[in-house]
Amino acid sequence: MKFATTAIHIGQEPDELTGAVTVPLYQTSTYAQEAIGKHKGWEYARTQNPTRSKWEACLAALESGIAAYAFGSGSAAVDTVMRLLSAGDHVVMAEDMYGGTYRLASKVLSRFGIDFSYVDMRDLDNVRNAIRPTTKMIYTETPTNPMMTITDLRAVAAIASSVGALLVVDNTFATPYFQRPLELGADIVVHSATKYLGGHSDLIHGIVATNRPDLAERLQFLQNAVGAVPGPFECWLCLRSAKTLHVRMDRHAANAMAIATWLESHPAIKAIHYPGLPSHPQHALAASQMSGFGGMISIELGSLERARHVTEALRLFCLAESLGGVESLVCHPVSMTHGSVPLEQRARLGITDGLVRLSVGIEDVSDLLADLEQALA
Ligand SMILES: *Cc1c(COP(=O)(O)O)cnc(C)c1O
């Protein structure tokens, strides 16, 4: 079955009880049992919820996994994946990460005896050199937020398996429509479904997928034991959103490509980061592991004053954190999403005061271009 059909049919079967074409919202905390030890397979809604199970089945199929587990946020999903580890374990993590994941690693998990090395994964030697006897996980994000760098997933998967470490990939930016890390050798995929999977800027949600039975069993245990589960309504909204994921992603990517091409030759732009541009230093690598380049673009405007002026002058691009919704957003990473990344690290990565990130929506692209033109003038 092809992607678009899977998105609309797997986990989205008509309700067995009533024939309802849309999966029902099971807003319940518990389930009646017939007698002691005799029940329908549903006991308590932290452990299982039918709406959640359908969404988990849908996302698992979209990511080419065997199972998926949903969480109350992307951050809760990342945190639960990290609980596969124990004190004394070491993780090699990409240094150009979502700020909240960096904060979770450096300010929370490190206090529990998990060690992290942060490396620039564009150079595979950095990954190899960071490996220790205690390395149990390699964690990356590609394309990265906000610098849009690409990790060679096939190569990093080979390094991970050669040392017996797990490869975990945050696939939030690409979505399974454009990139399926499990097919490229990753063991676990993580999403902030708050972004493209939800797609309408109306929910907070996370999800994890795997293609390994042993990991599926442990993740299911952790989902129940830690309990960072979502409500069923968010799962229901994600099922609704999955049905249009392919259509939305095609438009996000087409609009972003048109805007990136136009911005690249604009005199006010000092640098542009979009993996779909042939001038992106890792364009060929991106094209070898992604079937499209997504809707995220970062631009360097040169100064805080320029960034302030442009973000305030934009009318359709709303100044807000987050990304991946149908409406276009603009964000200033230094002051909004990446404040927790230390100054020197930000400077090394290129996250400057003049950097602005665009989440290109699915509006008519001519209106978006006109908005950018007047704001940059
Ligand atoms: C937003 C985001 C997260 C965190 O997800 P929440 O749903 O906000 O908790 C993790 N990774 C990436 C790449 C993100 O963009």
Side-chain angles (χ1 to χ4, degrees):
M1 207 183 276
K2 296 283 198 286
F3 190 93
T5 317
T6 300
I8 293 171
H9 289 281
I10 302 299
Q12 311 255 26
E13 301 84 4
D15 179 40
E16 277 167 34
L17 200 63
T18 64
V21 167
T22 300
V23 172
L25 173 59
Y26 284 90
Q27 187 75 41
T28 189
S29 62
T30 191
Y31 309 87
Q33 308 197 7
E34 250 174 78
I36 293 174
K38 198 163 173 232
H39 53 74
K40 297 184 161 71
W42 309 93
E43 294 154 273
Y44 184 59
R46 168 160 39 73
T47 318
Q48 326 104 328
N49 175 286
T51 314
R52 189 175 93 201
S53 299
K54 293 288 189 184
W55 160 232
E56 290 170 339
C58 177
L59 192 275
L62 294 177
E63 283 286 5
S64 300
I66 57 160
Y69 300 97
F71 297 90
S73 68
S75 305
V78 176
D79 181 63
T80 301
V81 166
M82 292 297 179
R83 288 166 196 256
L84 292 166
L85 302 170
S86 304
D89 288 350
H90 172 248
V91 180
V92 180
M93 190 172 254
E95 68 172 352
D96 180 11
M97 293 286 295
Y98 173 69
T101 302
Y102 175 77
R103 180 177 56 203
L104 177 66
S106 62
K107 299 240 164 62
V108 181
L109 297 166
S110 59
R111 288 181 18 241
F112 292 86
I114 298 171
D115 292 322
F116 292 87
S117 299
Y118 306 97
V119 305
D120 180 347
M121 290 206 184
R122 284 173 296 183
D123 184 347
L124 295 169
D125 279 337
N126 291 338
V127 181
R128 289 187 196 100
N129 294 338
I131 301 279
R132 302 178 191 167
T134 52
T135 303
K136 295 283 166 57
M137 181 185 288
I138 300 180
Y139 191 104
T140 191
E141 192 180 296
T142 182
T144 57
N145 179 3
M147 295 310 291
M148 309 304 294
T149 66
I150 308 294
T151 301
D152 184 338
L153 292 179
R154 289 183 187 87
V156 174
I159 296 171
S161 77
S162 74
V163 297
L166 299 176
L167 174 60
V168 180
V169 179
D170 183 329
N171 202 27
T172 298
F173 269 37
T175 81
Y177 183 60
F178 285 139
Q179 174 173 274
R180 285 182 293 282
L182 298 178
E183 292 178 6
L184 302 171
D187 301 291
I188 293 174
V189 166
V190 181
H191 278 280
S192 170
T194 308
K195 317 297 166 54
Y196 289 107
L197 295 182
H200 297 70
S201 307
D202 53 10
L203 56 86
I204 297 284
H205 191 85
I207 191 154
V208 173
T210 182
N211 55 4
R212 278 179 44 178
D214 58 329
L215 292 176
E217 196 181 320
R218 290 173 67 202
L219 287 166
Q220 182 171 32
F221 171 82
L222 288 170
Q223 182 194 40
N224 183 52
V226 179
V229 295
F233 185 49
E234 276 68 24
C235 300
W236 186 88
L237 286 170
C238 284
L239 277 167
R240 186 275 321 261
S241 296
K243 296 175 189 176
T244 57
L245 180 64
H246 56 292
V247 184
R248 289 185 284 112
M249 292 315 293
D250 276 337
R251 179 64 78 87
H252 280 297
N255 282 0
M257 191 67 208
I259 287 170
T261 305
W262 182 80
L263 285 173
E264 193 174 25
S265 57
H266 194 287
I269 308 296
K270 309 270 176 273
I272 178 162
H273 311 286
Y274 182 64
L277 289 174
S279 61
H280 185 285
Q282 295 175 293
H283 172 69
L285 173 60
S288 76
Q289 62 187 24
M290 305 172 78
S291 57
F293 305 102
M296 299 302 299
I297 302 172
S298 291
I299 49 177
E300 176 56 57
L301 294 168
S303 69
L304 181 59
E305 290 65 42
R306 286 292 297 160
R308 184 169 284 137
H309 170 81
V310 171
T311 52
E312 283 172 14
L314 284 165
R315 294 180 196 131
L316 288 175
F317 284 84
C318 173
L319 180 64
E321 291 194 18
S322 199
L323 61 107
V326 292
E327 61 290 291
S328 293
L329 301 180
V330 58
C331 140
H332 184 243
V334 163
S335 61
M336 295 166 79
T337 51
H338 285 68
S340 54
V341 179
L343 183 64
E344 76 187 74
Q345 189 174 335
R346 287 203 309 252
R348 193 169 62 245
L349 298 173
I351 307 174
T352 61
D353 287 351
L355 190 79
V356 162
R357 191 188 75 184
L358 302 175
S359 171
V360 178
I362 64 171
E363 300 95 333
D364 191 294
V365 72
S366 60
D367 288 327
L368 298 178
L369 286 167
D371 192 27
L372 287 162
E373 187 163 24
Q374 65 81 21
L376 290 168

